[in-house]
Amino acid sequence: MGYDVFRGSAYTQAPRIYGGQALGQSLVAAGLTVDRDRQVHSLHGHFVHPGRSDTPVDYHVERLRDGGSFTTRQVRAVQNDRTIFLATASFQRPEKGLEHQTPVSAPATPPEELPRLEDSLSEEELSEATWLLPLLTNIGVEFRFPEEYPRLANRRGESRPPRQRAWIRTPERLGDDILVHAAGFAYCSDLFLLSAALPPHGRHIDTPGLQLASLDHTVWWHAPFRADEWHLYEQHGYRMGGGRGLSRGYLFDRDGNLLASTAQEGLLRFRD
Protein backbone atom coordinates (compact mmCIF):
# COMPACT_ATOMS: atom_id res chain seq x y z
CA MET A 1 0.00 0.00 0.00
CA GLY A 2 0.99 3.68 0.00
CA TYR A 3 2.82 5.61 2.67
CA ASP A 4 1.21 5.00 6.08
CA VAL A 5 -1.65 3.00 4.52
CA PHE A 6 -2.10 -0.61 5.60
CA ARG A 7 -4.54 -3.24 4.36
CA GLY A 8 -6.47 -5.62 6.59
CA SER A 9 -8.76 -8.54 5.77
CA ALA A 10 -11.39 -10.56 7.62
CA TYR A 11 -11.06 -14.29 8.18
CA THR A 12 -14.69 -15.18 8.80
CA GLN A 13 -17.85 -16.11 6.94
CA ALA A 14 -19.97 -13.55 8.82
CA PRO A 15 -21.33 -10.88 6.45
CA ARG A 16 -20.29 -8.01 8.72
CA ILE A 17 -16.90 -7.25 10.16
CA TYR A 18 -16.69 -7.89 13.89
CA GLY A 19 -15.99 -4.60 15.69
CA GLY A 20 -12.92 -6.00 17.41
CA GLN A 21 -11.31 -6.53 14.02
CA ALA A 22 -11.45 -2.80 13.26
CA LEU A 23 -10.09 -2.01 16.72
CA GLY A 24 -7.20 -4.45 16.54
CA GLN A 25 -6.19 -3.73 12.95
CA SER A 26 -6.39 0.04 13.48
CA LEU A 27 -4.06 -0.29 16.45
CA VAL A 28 -1.54 -2.35 14.51
CA ALA A 29 -1.61 0.15 11.64
CA ALA A 30 -1.01 3.05 14.04
CA GLY A 31 1.69 1.15 15.93
CA LEU A 32 3.65 0.43 12.76
CA THR A 33 4.31 4.17 12.44
CA VAL A 34 5.52 4.61 16.04
CA ASP A 35 8.97 4.10 17.56
CA ARG A 36 9.04 0.73 19.27
CA ASP A 37 10.20 2.18 22.60
CA ARG A 38 6.66 3.56 23.03
CA GLN A 39 3.69 1.43 24.06
CA VAL A 40 0.02 2.05 23.42
CA HIS A 41 -1.96 3.30 26.40
CA SER A 42 -5.25 4.29 24.78
CA LEU A 43 -7.36 3.70 21.70
CA HIS A 44 -10.57 5.65 21.06
CA GLY A 45 -12.70 4.40 18.18
CA HIS A 46 -15.95 5.42 16.49
CA PHE A 47 -17.93 2.99 14.36
CA VAL A 48 -19.24 4.99 11.39
CA HIS A 49 -20.60 2.39 8.95
CA PRO A 50 -20.85 -1.42 9.02
CA GLY A 51 -17.98 -3.15 7.27
CA ARG A 52 -18.19 -6.15 4.96
CA SER A 53 -16.05 -9.21 5.63
CA ASP A 54 -15.61 -10.09 1.94
CA THR A 55 -13.72 -6.87 1.09
CA PRO A 56 -10.33 -5.66 2.42
CA VAL A 57 -10.13 -2.57 4.62
CA ASP A 58 -7.46 0.09 4.11
CA TYR A 59 -6.21 1.82 7.26
CA HIS A 60 -4.94 5.35 6.60
CA VAL A 61 -2.70 6.61 9.42
CA GLU A 62 -2.13 10.31 10.10
CA ARG A 63 0.86 11.25 12.27
CA LEU A 64 -0.65 13.88 14.54
CA ARG A 65 2.12 14.27 17.13
CA ASP A 66 5.53 12.93 18.09
CA GLY A 67 6.32 14.47 21.46
CA GLY A 68 8.95 13.88 24.10
CA SER A 69 6.79 11.36 25.98
CA PHE A 70 3.65 10.77 23.90
CA THR A 71 2.91 9.91 20.29
CA THR A 72 -0.56 10.37 18.77
CA ARG A 73 -1.96 8.81 15.63
CA GLN A 74 -5.32 9.03 13.87
CA VAL A 75 -6.54 6.09 11.80
CA ARG A 76 -9.27 6.12 9.17
CA ALA A 77 -10.52 2.70 8.06
CA VAL A 78 -11.81 2.83 4.48
CA GLN A 79 -13.71 0.19 2.55
CA ASN A 80 -15.06 0.76 -0.97
CA ASP A 81 -14.16 4.47 -0.70
CA ARG A 82 -16.28 4.88 2.45
CA THR A 83 -14.95 5.51 5.95
CA ILE A 84 -16.28 2.76 8.22
CA PHE A 85 -14.23 3.39 11.38
CA LEU A 86 -12.25 6.23 12.93
CA ALA A 87 -9.70 5.84 15.73
CA THR A 88 -7.20 7.85 17.71
CA ALA A 89 -4.34 5.97 19.38
CA SER A 90 -1.87 7.33 21.92
CA PHE A 91 1.50 5.79 22.75
CA GLN A 92 3.80 6.62 25.67
CA ARG A 93 7.42 6.09 26.57
CA PRO A 94 7.28 3.84 29.72
CA GLU A 95 7.76 5.69 33.00
CA LYS A 96 7.13 5.15 36.72
CA GLY A 97 4.74 7.04 39.00
CA LEU A 98 2.11 6.73 41.73
CA GLU A 99 -0.02 3.59 41.52
CA HIS A 100 -3.37 2.29 42.76
CA GLN A 101 -6.25 0.40 41.13
CA THR A 102 -9.81 -0.78 41.58
CA PRO A 103 -9.86 -4.36 42.92
CA VAL A 104 -11.43 -7.39 41.30
CA SER A 105 -15.04 -7.68 42.47
CA ALA A 106 -14.77 -11.26 43.78
CA PRO A 107 -12.58 -14.34 43.40
CA ALA A 108 -13.29 -16.38 40.29
CA THR A 109 -12.93 -20.10 39.64
CA PRO A 110 -9.81 -20.63 37.48
CA PRO A 111 -10.59 -21.10 33.78
CA GLU A 112 -9.03 -24.57 33.69
CA GLU A 113 -11.74 -25.73 36.10
CA LEU A 114 -14.60 -24.29 34.06
CA PRO A 115 -16.39 -25.98 31.12
CA ARG A 116 -16.82 -24.47 27.72
CA LEU A 117 -20.19 -22.77 27.44
CA GLU A 118 -21.48 -25.30 24.92
CA ASP A 119 -20.59 -28.11 27.34
CA SER A 120 -22.41 -26.47 30.26
CA LEU A 121 -25.81 -26.14 28.58
CA SER A 122 -28.67 -28.59 28.78
CA GLU A 123 -29.86 -30.19 25.56
CA GLU A 124 -32.83 -27.82 25.49
CA GLU A 125 -30.68 -24.76 26.09
CA LEU A 126 -28.21 -25.87 23.44
CA SER A 127 -30.95 -26.43 20.87
CA GLU A 128 -32.28 -22.90 21.51
CA ALA A 129 -28.83 -21.27 21.45
CA THR A 130 -28.83 -20.56 17.72
CA TRP A 131 -26.52 -17.60 18.41
CA LEU A 132 -23.76 -19.76 19.86
CA LEU A 133 -22.42 -21.49 16.72
CA PRO A 134 -21.92 -18.22 14.79
CA LEU A 135 -20.17 -16.79 17.85
CA LEU A 136 -17.81 -19.75 18.12
CA THR A 137 -17.24 -19.85 14.36
CA ASN A 138 -16.81 -16.17 13.54
CA ILE A 139 -15.18 -14.62 16.62
CA GLY A 140 -11.60 -15.61 17.44
CA VAL A 141 -11.92 -15.45 21.22
CA GLU A 142 -11.83 -18.31 23.71
CA PHE A 143 -13.91 -17.75 26.84
CA ARG A 144 -15.12 -19.37 30.06
CA PHE A 145 -17.82 -18.02 32.40
CA PRO A 146 -17.22 -18.28 36.19
CA GLU A 147 -20.92 -17.51 36.75
CA GLU A 148 -23.99 -18.12 34.61
CA TYR A 149 -23.90 -15.94 31.52
CA PRO A 150 -26.80 -13.46 32.12
CA ARG A 151 -27.96 -13.92 28.53
CA LEU A 152 -29.16 -17.40 29.47
CA ALA A 153 -31.24 -16.07 32.37
CA ASN A 154 -32.62 -13.31 30.18
CA ARG A 155 -33.73 -15.89 27.63
CA ARG A 156 -35.74 -17.51 30.43
CA GLY A 157 -37.41 -14.15 31.04
CA GLU A 158 -35.42 -13.45 34.21
CA SER A 159 -33.63 -10.18 34.99
CA ARG A 160 -30.12 -9.99 36.39
CA PRO A 161 -27.83 -7.20 37.67
CA PRO A 162 -25.92 -5.37 34.90
CA ARG A 163 -22.73 -7.33 35.48
CA GLN A 164 -21.02 -10.26 33.78
CA ARG A 165 -17.57 -11.82 33.88
CA ALA A 166 -15.63 -14.08 31.56
CA TRP A 167 -12.12 -15.46 31.34
CA ILE A 168 -10.88 -14.62 27.84
CA ARG A 169 -7.85 -15.20 25.64
CA THR A 170 -6.98 -15.52 21.96
CA PRO A 171 -7.17 -19.15 20.80
CA GLU A 172 -3.81 -18.95 19.01
CA ARG A 173 -0.35 -18.08 20.36
CA LEU A 174 0.68 -14.60 19.23
CA GLY A 175 4.47 -14.51 19.47
CA ASP A 176 6.24 -11.93 21.62
CA ASP A 177 5.45 -8.56 19.99
CA ILE A 178 3.88 -6.26 22.62
CA LEU A 179 1.92 -4.39 19.93
CA VAL A 180 0.39 -7.62 18.63
CA HIS A 181 -0.76 -8.59 22.13
CA ALA A 182 -2.25 -5.13 22.68
CA ALA A 183 -4.12 -5.54 19.38
CA GLY A 184 -5.15 -9.04 20.42
CA PHE A 185 -6.89 -7.64 23.48
CA ALA A 186 -8.40 -4.79 21.45
CA TYR A 187 -9.93 -7.51 19.29
CA CYS A 188 -11.18 -9.47 22.31
CA SER A 189 -12.43 -6.40 24.19
CA ASP A 190 -15.52 -5.98 21.99
CA LEU A 191 -16.87 -9.40 22.95
CA PHE A 192 -20.00 -9.27 25.21
CA LEU A 193 -19.26 -5.72 26.44
CA LEU A 194 -22.32 -3.82 25.24
CA SER A 195 -24.67 -6.65 26.24
CA ALA A 196 -23.80 -6.01 29.91
CA ALA A 197 -26.38 -3.20 29.86
CA LEU A 198 -29.28 -5.55 29.07
CA PRO A 199 -29.64 -8.04 31.99
CA PRO A 200 -31.72 -5.80 34.34
CA HIS A 201 -34.37 -5.52 31.62
CA GLY A 202 -34.74 -9.26 31.03
CA ARG A 203 -33.71 -8.69 27.40
CA HIS A 204 -30.87 -10.12 25.34
CA ILE A 205 -29.34 -9.31 21.98
CA ASP A 206 -31.60 -11.86 20.22
CA THR A 207 -34.79 -10.29 21.61
CA PRO A 208 -37.13 -9.61 18.67
CA GLY A 209 -37.23 -5.96 17.71
CA LEU A 210 -33.79 -5.08 19.09
CA GLN A 211 -31.64 -2.79 16.97
CA LEU A 212 -28.04 -3.06 18.22
CA ALA A 213 -24.96 -1.28 16.96
CA SER A 214 -21.70 -0.18 18.58
CA LEU A 215 -21.22 3.58 18.43
CA ASP A 216 -17.84 4.08 20.07
CA HIS A 217 -15.31 2.01 21.97
CA THR A 218 -12.30 2.90 24.11
CA VAL A 219 -9.48 0.76 25.45
CA TRP A 220 -6.88 1.84 28.01
CA TRP A 221 -3.80 -0.33 28.57
CA HIS A 222 -2.23 0.01 32.03
CA ALA A 223 0.60 -2.51 31.60
CA PRO A 224 1.83 -4.93 28.92
CA PHE A 225 0.40 -8.46 29.00
CA ARG A 226 -0.07 -11.49 26.78
CA ALA A 227 -3.49 -11.61 25.13
CA ASP A 228 -3.04 -15.35 24.51
CA GLU A 229 -3.12 -16.09 28.27
CA TRP A 230 -6.26 -16.23 30.40
CA HIS A 231 -7.47 -12.94 31.95
CA LEU A 232 -10.68 -12.14 33.80
CA TYR A 233 -12.82 -9.60 31.95
CA GLU A 234 -15.38 -7.92 34.23
CA GLN A 235 -18.12 -5.95 32.49
CA HIS A 236 -20.65 -3.56 34.01
CA GLY A 237 -23.61 -1.95 32.25
CA TYR A 238 -23.75 1.49 33.86
CA ARG A 239 -26.54 3.16 31.95
CA MET A 240 -29.48 2.54 29.63
CA GLY A 241 -31.49 5.44 28.25
CA GLY A 242 -32.40 7.28 25.09
CA GLY A 243 -32.01 4.10 23.08
CA ARG A 244 -28.35 3.79 24.09
CA GLY A 245 -26.43 1.65 26.56
CA LEU A 246 -23.08 2.33 28.23
CA SER A 247 -20.78 -0.39 29.56
CA ARG A 248 -17.38 -0.44 31.24
CA GLY A 249 -14.92 -3.30 31.39
CA TYR A 250 -11.92 -4.21 33.56
CA LEU A 251 -9.30 -6.82 32.66
CA PHE A 252 -7.49 -8.54 35.54
CA ASP A 253 -4.75 -11.14 35.64
CA ARG A 254 -4.90 -14.14 37.96
CA ASP A 255 -3.30 -12.14 40.78
CA GLY A 256 -5.93 -9.40 40.60
CA ASN A 257 -3.74 -6.83 38.84
CA LEU A 258 -5.75 -4.46 36.64
CA LEU A 259 -4.13 -4.55 33.19
CA ALA A 260 -6.64 -2.78 30.95
CA SER A 261 -9.96 -0.93 31.06
CA THR A 262 -12.63 -0.44 28.39
CA ALA A 263 -15.78 1.54 27.73
CA GLN A 264 -18.38 1.20 25.01
CA GLU A 265 -21.58 3.02 24.10
CA GLY A 266 -23.97 1.51 21.65
CA LEU A 267 -27.41 1.72 20.16
CA LEU A 268 -29.84 -0.54 22.05
CA ARG A 269 -33.18 0.41 20.55
CA PHE A 270 -36.28 -1.75 20.78
CA ARG A 271 -38.87 -1.55 18.01
CA ASP A 272 -42.35 -2.97 18.53
Side-chain angles (χ1 to χ4, degrees):
M1 302 301 295
Y3 181 70
D4 287 353
V5 180
F6 306 89
R7 174 160 290 182
S9 299
Y11 300 91
T12 174
Q13 300 302 312
R16 284 190 176 187
I17 290 175
Y18 163 60
Q21 174 187 324
L23 291 161
Q25 291 183 347
S26 291
L27 177 58
V28 170
L32 290 175
T33 70
V34 175
D35 291 342
R36 301 315 298 269
D37 66 336
R38 303 192 176 201
Q39 298 171 6
V40 63
H41 71 89
S42 69
L43 176 70
H44 304 268
H46 293 268
F47 297 95
V48 182
H49 290 289
R52 294 177 54 87
S53 63
D54 59 356
T55 305
V57 179
D58 292 333
Y59 295 89
H60 300 252
V61 181
E62 182 178 356
R63 304 186 182 214
L64 297 182
R65 180 174 186 265
D66 289 285
S69 298
F70 291 89
T71 296
T72 308
R73 297 289 186 260
Q74 186 175 63
V75 184
R76 184 166 57 94
V78 179
Q79 188 177 64
N80 294 328
D81 297 322
R82 183 169 71 169
T83 298
I84 64 172
F85 182 73
L86 292 169
T88 303
S90 183
F91 300 76
Q92 180 188 16
R93 192 188 307 276
E95 60 182 80
K96 295 183 178 180
L98 301 174
E99 293 188 14
H100 82 277
Q101 66 165 68
T102 189
V104 65
S105 63
T109 302
E112 295 83 3
E113 300 176 22
L114 295 169
R116 298 180 301 173
L117 179 60
E118 59 269 35
D119 295 332
S120 68
L121 301 179
S122 67
E123 290 187 9
E124 181 180 0
E125 289 174 325
L126 193 58
S127 66
E128 295 176 351
T130 55
W131 50 272
L132 183 55
L133 182 59
L135 177 65
L136 296 175
T137 303
N138 295 319
I139 308 297
V141 183
E142 190 173 1
F143 53 89
R144 302 282 189 276
F145 292 105
E147 298 89 21
E148 183 184 41
Y149 182 25
R151 182 173 183 169
L152 301 176
N154 291 158
R155 291 184 66 88
R156 299 194 298 266
E158 304 170 9
S159 63
R160 288 289 186 271
R163 172 180 168 273
Q164 56 195 27
R165 305 196 300 173
W167 291 99
I168 63 169
R169 68 179 180 183
T170 63
E172 303 292 336
R173 297 292 289 180
L174 298 180
D176 296 321
D177 190 327
I178 293 176
L179 176 63
V180 171
H181 283 277
F185 174 64
Y187 178 94
C188 295
S189 69
D190 193 38
L191 187 64
F192 307 127
L193 184 56
L194 188 57
S195 67
L198 289 173
H201 306 278
R203 308 284 186 92
H204 51 86
I205 62 176
D206 291 323
T207 301
L210 172 63
Q211 184 180 0
L212 180 149
S214 297
L215 298 174
D216 52 50
H217 188 108
T218 299
V219 185
W220 295 272
W221 288 264
H222 312 310
F225 60 90
R226 295 190 65 94
D228 54 12
E229 295 180 351
W230 288 112
H231 293 89
L232 184 64
Y233 195 19
E234 293 199 358
Q235 302 171 339
H236 303 261
Y238 279 96
R239 166 73 178 166
M240 275 281 284
R244 304 187 313 277
L246 177 65
S247 297
R248 291 289 303 270
Y250 304 93
L251 190 78
F252 296 93
D253 66 15
R254 293 174 185 262
D255 296 323
N257 296 307
L258 180 63
L259 300 178
S261 302
T262 62
Q264 186 176 56
E265 186 178 39
L267 182 68
L268 290 170
R269 176 189 294 151
F270 287 90
R271 300 291 196 187
D272 295 330

